Amino acid sequence: MSLPRRLPEVLVPALLVLATAFLGLAVSSYLEGYFVVTLVKVAIVVGLYVFVGNSGVLSFGQISFVAVGAWTAGVLTVPRAEKPIAFPGLAHFLVTTNVGNVASLALAAAIGGVFALAVGLPLMRLSGLAAGIATFAVLEITNNVLGYDGAIGPALNGFSSVPSTTGIWQATIGALICIAVAYAYQRTRFGRMLRATREDPAAAAAAGISIHRQRLIAFTLAGALAGFAGGLYVHLQPLAANDLYLDLTFITLAMLVVGGSGSLLGAVVGALAINGIYTFFTAAVNKVDVFGWHLQVRAGTADIVLGVLMLLVLIFRPNGITGGREFSLPRRRRPVADLEKTRATT
Amino acid sequence: MTALLVENLSVRYGAVEAVRGLSLEVRPGQIVGLIGPNGAGKSSTLHAIMGSAPITGGDVRLDGASILGRSPEDVARRGIALVPEGRRIFGELTVEENLRLGLAGRRAGRNGDGLARANELFPILREFRSRQAGVLSGGQQQQLAIGRALAADPEILLLDEPSLGLAPKIVDVVFEALTKIRDAGLAVLLVEQRAQRTVALADESHVLANGELRLTLGPKDAADTDRLVAAYLA
Amino acid sequence: MILGLLSLQPLTWPTVATALALGGVYALMAVGIGLVFGVLRLVNFAYGQLIMAGGYALAYGALWNFATWESILLCFGVVLVLSILMDRLVFRPLRTSSPTVMLVATFAVAFLLQNIALLKFGSLSKSVGPLAQLNAPWDIFGVQIKEIAVLAVGTAVGCLAILQLLLTRTPLGLHMRAAAMDFRTARLLGVRANRVIGAAVIISGLLAATSAVFLSVQENSISSSFGLQDTIIVLAGVVVGGMNRPIPATLGGFSIGFATGILGGVLPADKTQYLTSFIFAAVIVVLLVRPNGLFTRGGGAVERV
């Protein structure tokens, strides 16, 4: 596969991200915040895609890696002087250790990856419903522990004095890094082997591909990306354990499914589209002007719109907006299969 | 008087056309055989009749009325019973429960003696009444599958390769039962791979290859191996 | 944390009773979830929302000064209607989709219903009024056991017995069992798909309503997240117990409820907030050791997603 032909696969998502960034710069600083959040969500969903999209296995645990990354980056960048107040029970070595912004992101990625590796080693052997429940259990445990353990973080209080270093540029670069890594991975032998297991596990196993190992690699990488995104997120807005729990799990999953879980483009498109709609309806609580037409909705409408939209997509277009396909030049189309298996007959 | 009429039937799965323009009829008190190589479309024909295969053309008529587009359970309740390929016994249910399940296909308002007939034809069913169906041997399961179909007191009996995996002795038992069923007045459509035995048993046998009807044979052709082979390879 | 485990609190009869009650209610929920899974091959994440709706019905019944039996009737009515709507609007169109799509779809329904409730009823919680009196303790052989615990266990046993009779002694029950084993063949034999599915949905709804009554008495505060955590735990229990067979699934639901109740009572005071972690850690361990289910006979079909 010659490099230039496949380049649109990564360039188009990257361009979409840049377009979002420029749009964010163009609007008022009040609205710019929404764009930054969107870009961070892109980073999270791309991480989710690296595992779920390539393996075809559903994981509910991705957000726990985001949480772990957020905790890491947050605890290590809150100003030293404020730590005793912000985190009363914090372990001593965490109180005394502080790192810079970029270092905290790198560490967040590292810890996220290590945690994912530790979790994935036993869990990647499972499939189907068992995998789903097991990853759900990881989410539950992480949420429980991070929410109550004061020795490793703010516990119930959540973060509040983390320096807000994630502006539009940091978020953009972060999203682009995630996209680049995801693209690089799926172009490697590992990525292709994993996709083979998604298409036809039996054939892949017969061909000598270790399903367990390939899934573990993707899972770990996804964990690292998630941790990184978590670091970005915690430097953007105050986060508590419950902000990185079921709702976010659902929303990021919705973004991936609506966009098209089989492709990187799908992940990015889904994140941008869904967060765009979500943000619109959230902002509409305070009345918005759409080309001279006033709209005001009750708080919480955004979630309902999201839920309904997700259901409609699942019923009428389960492959998502992109149909699970990457962007490719019109000459020769290479459809990439998706999360959904062949439909059952009557 | 025709019980089952298949007219110009076409069945297509996605891009693959499994059956092309097939026409046949089965009358009460008649066994019609449907033979042919693997993938010829025999099973698809039966499933199309039952309403569980995508029909793209033609018609299926029961006692003159079209049953096209009806759901499988609807077709079953109109008096057509299928003995599926591989028997598809409910292994975790008892033999008796399997038989009673067959009652689901009874036609409305008919309290026939399907169960009694099934037990009569296959005495082992009564003997193994409370055993789990899964412990039965292949041949016994086949008898159960047929008995289950008969429990619905059907007008038409469809069988999908009943002799598959059975020892010749058991095939004898099964084929003999089919004769009795035919004599009781049912219309029987028998799909089989064992060409010779089927041709010998049935009142007429159709050879299906590549989804098309190639040849129709009578019992006297059973000994004519050349003709059979030629039909298969046509 | 491990050392903390050594300072467990003593096991008492009220704890056991509560654990039995919770196990009983979870067993009912497990059957409700397992029935729908068996017949429709659908894992209903939104089951908790049925319970939430039931809870709100009870709360509003109390608010409108209904008699207790009227509140319960309202609860059943609301839950049944919602159950049927869920089936018609969401499950039916998705019947031919892959298990993953269905899982995500029910997840979406759960999310949707929870937020609709949040929108309509606000985030304040409501109480179930007079029903809460059932939380009062009875004196049994000198031990204080909550009235509700006894009722829950009794009802659970009763419901399960009735259900068992239905499944084994009636034609409908036979059809449902067959449909759960091999839907396609069952239809070919004349089993009416819609009737069997409808029955599963209705029974599942009735069980949800029953669970709602008991859970709401126990918690006495209904909010939009009512029933969600319980459903997740029961789902985990069902998968751990053995998703594909009704009895292991029920046992799984009971076990996880019972374990939760016992752990809740014996964990040292400063560790009780980690109850969730203990339970889910146990879930993971069991899934790793026996992925086909704790109570199955092993060697079940590998499920593919």
Side-chain angles (χ1 to χ4, degrees):
Chain A
M1 218 23 43
S2 65
L3 197 56
R5 281 223 58 245
R6 286 285 205 172
L7 225 39
E9 267 180 35
V10 69
L11 283 182
V12 174
L15 283 172
L16 286 173
V17 164
L18 283 170
T20 309
F22 282 123
L23 212 58
L25 283 170
V27 299
S28 69
S29 56
Y30 165 67
L31 288 177
E32 182 180 314
Y34 289 129
F35 285 85
V36 181
V37 172
T38 304
L39 290 168
V40 172
K41 296 267 168 76
V42 167
I44 297 179
V45 178
V46 168
L48 181 66
Y49 156 77
V50 164
F51 177 69
V52 173
N54 286 307
S55 71
V57 176
L58 194 56
S59 165
F60 288 106
Q62 190 71 0
I63 298 301
S64 49
F65 308 132
V66 174
V68 165
W71 248 242
T72 306
V75 164
L76 294 175
T77 50
V78 167
R80 175 81 172 80
E82 302 203 29
K83 280 192 185 176
I85 314 158
F87 318 127
L90 198 61
H92 182 73
F93 104 92
L94 286 173
V95 175
T96 53
T97 316
N98 263 62
V99 299
N101 178 28
V102 175
S104 76
L105 293 176
L107 274 170
I111 303 283
V114 167
F115 185 42
L117 180 63
V119 164
L121 263 170
L123 257 53
M124 285 302 103
R125 230 170 296 142
L126 301 170
S127 279
L129 214 44
I133 293 289
T135 52
F136 212 105
V138 172
L139 180 69
E140 288 282 344
I141 295 175
T142 309
N143 174 259
N144 193 214
V145 170
L146 290 181
Y148 284 108
D149 194 342
I152 52 174
L156 282 170
N157 302 328
F159 285 100
S160 48
S161 20
V162 182
S164 338
T165 49
T166 301
I168 195 119
W169 284 121
Q170 173 149 307
T172 306
I173 295 174
L176 287 174
I177 291 177
C178 288
I179 290 175
V181 171
Y183 174 71
Y185 168 72
Q186 72 187 37
R187 301 284 303 129
T188 64
R189 208 164 44 100
F190 301 119
R192 280 184 274 129
M193 283 202 278
L194 184 60
R195 289 179 106 97
T197 71
R198 182 185 72 185
E199 311 291 327
D200 191 340
I209 297 178
S210 163
I211 298 183
H212 178 251
R213 180 185 297 172
Q214 293 313 318
R215 283 184 183 169
L216 185 60
I217 292 175
F219 198 67
T220 307
L221 183 61
L225 288 175
F228 176 68
L232 288 172
Y233 204 10
V234 80
H235 283 130
L236 174 59
Q237 49 186 220
L239 291 176
N242 279 348
D243 293 323
L244 303 166
Y245 184 42
L246 282 173
D247 282 351
L248 189 59
T249 299
F250 174 73
I251 289 177
T252 47
L253 205 57
M255 289 173 175
L256 186 60
V257 168
V258 168
S261 56
S263 70
L264 179 57
L265 181 64
V268 174
V269 165
L272 291 174
I274 293 293
N275 212 58
I277 296 174
Y278 195 79
T279 306
F280 178 76
F281 280 97
T282 310
V285 173
N286 297 321
K287 194 177 281 198
V288 286
D289 280 324
V290 187
F291 305 114
W293 169 54
H294 297 263
L295 178 69
Q296 177 160 32
V297 299
R298 294 173 64 180
T301 308
D303 294 294
I304 295 178
V305 169
L306 184 57
V308 173
L309 186 64
M310 173 102 144
L311 279 174
L312 289 174
V313 167
L314 283 172
I315 292 175
F316 295 112
R317 203 177 155 80
N319 295 349
I321 296 177
T322 61
R325 292 200 278 263
E326 301 287 3
F327 183 87
S328 56
L329 300 172
R331 241 187 315 150
R332 264 190 303 163
R333 291 217 317 199
R334 296 176 183 281
V336 173
D338 50 281
L339 197 61
E340 191 205 350
K341 291 284 183 183
T342 46
R343 288 166 168 244
T345 51
T346 314
Chain B
M1 178 233 164
T2 308
L4 179 69
L5 180 69
V6 173
E7 203 167 58
N8 221 6
L9 183 70
S10 290
V11 177
R12 167 180 286 197
Y13 295 102
V16 180
E17 207 165 14
V19 180
R20 270 185 277 241
L22 174 66
S23 297
L24 57 83
E25 79 182 81
V26 192
R27 292 196 198 84
Q30 195 185 41
I31 297 182
V32 172
L34 196 57
I35 56 177
N38 252 332
K42 317 188 296 289
S43 250
S44 305
T45 305
L46 292 188
H47 280 289
I49 296 172
M50 290 305 293
S52 59
I55 297 179
T56 51
D59 197 7
V60 180
R61 278 208 275 274
L62 173 63
D63 286 338
S66 172
I67 54 171
L68 220 55
R70 299 204 169 271
S71 67
E73 57 259 48
D74 226 3
V75 173
R77 281 167 182 267
R78 278 168 190 271
I80 305 183
L82 173 69
V83 181
E85 187 179 352
R87 302 176 271 275
R88 306 224 64 108
I89 291 294
F90 291 88
E92 297 194 26
L93 299 176
T94 65
V95 166
E96 183 166 6
E97 285 174 322
N98 268 276
L99 286 172
R100 279 199 288 132
L101 199 52
L103 290 173
R106 258 181 318 183
R107 278 167 284 173
R110 283 182 61 122
N111 259 334
D113 48 358
L115 266 182
R117 188 187 297 169
N119 277 314
E120 203 184 300
L121 264 177
F122 304 115
I124 56 122
L125 294 182
R126 186 162 280 148
E127 196 185 317
F128 285 87
R129 202 168 54 220
S130 324
R131 306 282 294 278
Q132 256 200 347
V135 307
L136 266 54
S137 72
Q140 292 165 337
Q141 286 190 1
Q142 189 60 64
Q143 295 176 54
L144 175 57
I146 300 177
R148 182 179 66 182
L150 291 176
D153 200 16
E155 213 182 305
I156 299 168
L157 188 64
L158 309 175
L159 297 114
D160 201 343
E161 303 206 29
S163 73
L164 198 63
L166 297 187
K169 269 233 145 88
I170 314 289
V171 179
D172 288 339
V173 173
V174 170
F175 273 30
E176 170 141 358
L178 290 182
T179 316
K180 293 197 191 136
I181 292 170
R182 184 228 3 234
D183 293 338
L186 269 71
V188 178
L189 181 56
L190 174 63
V191 161
E192 264 298 347
Q193 277 215 46
R194 289 177 193 246
Q196 209 149 22
R197 290 207 60 163
T198 307
V199 174
L201 169 73
D203 299 297
E204 66 178 6
S205 301
H206 304 295
V207 181
L208 208 63
N210 251 328
E212 287 172 337
L213 185 60
R214 292 296 169 80
L215 190 60
T216 300
L217 302 165
K220 48 179 168 40
D221 297 315
D224 195 340
T225 350
D226 291 332
R227 212 167 166 219
L228 280 171
V229 171
Y232 266 57
L233 298 177
Chain C
M1 203 191 273
I2 312 296
L3 288 175
L5 279 174
L6 297 175
S7 56
L8 294 176
Q9 303 193 36
L11 189 61
T12 61
W13 276 115
T15 303
V16 174
T18 309
L20 281 174
L22 193 61
V25 174
Y26 279 14
L28 289 181
M29 288 172 66
V31 176
I33 292 176
L35 209 58
V36 167
F37 178 73
V39 173
L40 281 98
R41 280 288 173 273
L42 180 90
V43 179
N44 192 3
F45 253 110
Y47 199 69
Q49 268 48 53
L50 292 175
I51 295 179
M52 173 198 80
Y56 271 117
L58 289 170
Y60 273 93
L63 206 64
W64 296 329
N65 285 318
F66 281 12
T68 303
W69 69 269
E70 286 173 332
S71 284
I72 294 182
L73 209 62
L74 179 66
C75 169
F76 272 75
V78 166
V79 173
L80 274 175
V81 168
L82 191 58
S83 243
I84 295 172
L85 276 177
M86 246 193 238
D87 177 51
R88 289 293 151 87
L89 294 176
V90 180
F91 302 164
R92 213 168 263 206
L94 291 173
R95 222 158 268 175
T96 50
S97 304
S98 71
T100 312
V101 170
M102 291 201 283
L103 193 74
V104 178
T106 58
F107 202 33
V109 173
F111 184 75
L112 188 63
L113 289 175
Q114 197 177 1
N115 282 292
I116 290 179
L118 198 60
L119 193 70
K120 266 223 99 197
F121 304 118
S123 55
L124 295 173
S125 39
K126 312 210 177 290
S127 107
V128 287
L131 269 175
Q133 287 165 4
L134 292 172
N135 257 324
W138 269 355
D139 198 318
I140 302 184
F141 304 120
V143 182
Q144 301 284 53
I145 295 187
K146 286 194 199 169
E147 192 175 332
I148 190 69
V150 179
L151 279 174
V153 174
T155 310
V157 170
C159 283
L160 291 173
I162 294 176
L163 210 59
Q164 182 71 357
L165 281 175
L166 175 76
L167 286 177
T168 51
R169 297 286 171 89
T170 64
L172 177 65
L174 181 61
H175 292 187
M176 286 175 77
R177 281 189 292 149
M181 293 175 197
D182 186 348
F183 208 105
R184 195 155 186 249
T185 304
R187 287 185 80 184
L188 288 169
L189 294 175
V191 168
R192 284 212 263 250
N194 286 335
R195 198 170 274 195
V196 160
I197 291 173
V201 167
I202 289 178
I203 295 175
S204 171
L206 289 172
L207 291 170
T210 312
S211 306
V213 171
F214 287 109
L215 286 175
S216 63
V217 168
Q218 197 169 6
E219 283 190 40
N220 197 25
S221 78
I222 313 294
S223 64
S224 64
S225 58
F226 181 67
L228 181 63
Q229 192 73 347
D230 299 288
T231 303
I232 292 172
I233 295 180
V234 172
L235 256 174
V238 169
V239 174
V240 163
M243 192 85 202
N244 283 312
R245 296 263 130 260
I247 294 181
T250 313
L251 281 176
F254 174 80
S255 307
I256 210 170
F258 188 71
T260 305
I262 296 286
L263 266 179
V266 305
L267 274 178
D270 62 334
K271 296 280 179 278
T272 47
Q273 69 257 42
Y274 293 118
L275 178 60
T276 315
S277 293
F278 280 109
I279 295 291
F280 280 104
V283 166
I284 292 180
V285 168
V286 175
L287 281 176
L288 288 175
V289 171
R290 297 255 330 207
N292 278 327
L294 199 53
F295 301 110
T296 54
R297 248 159 280 178
V302 174
E303 203 197 316
R304 289 162 36 128
V305 160

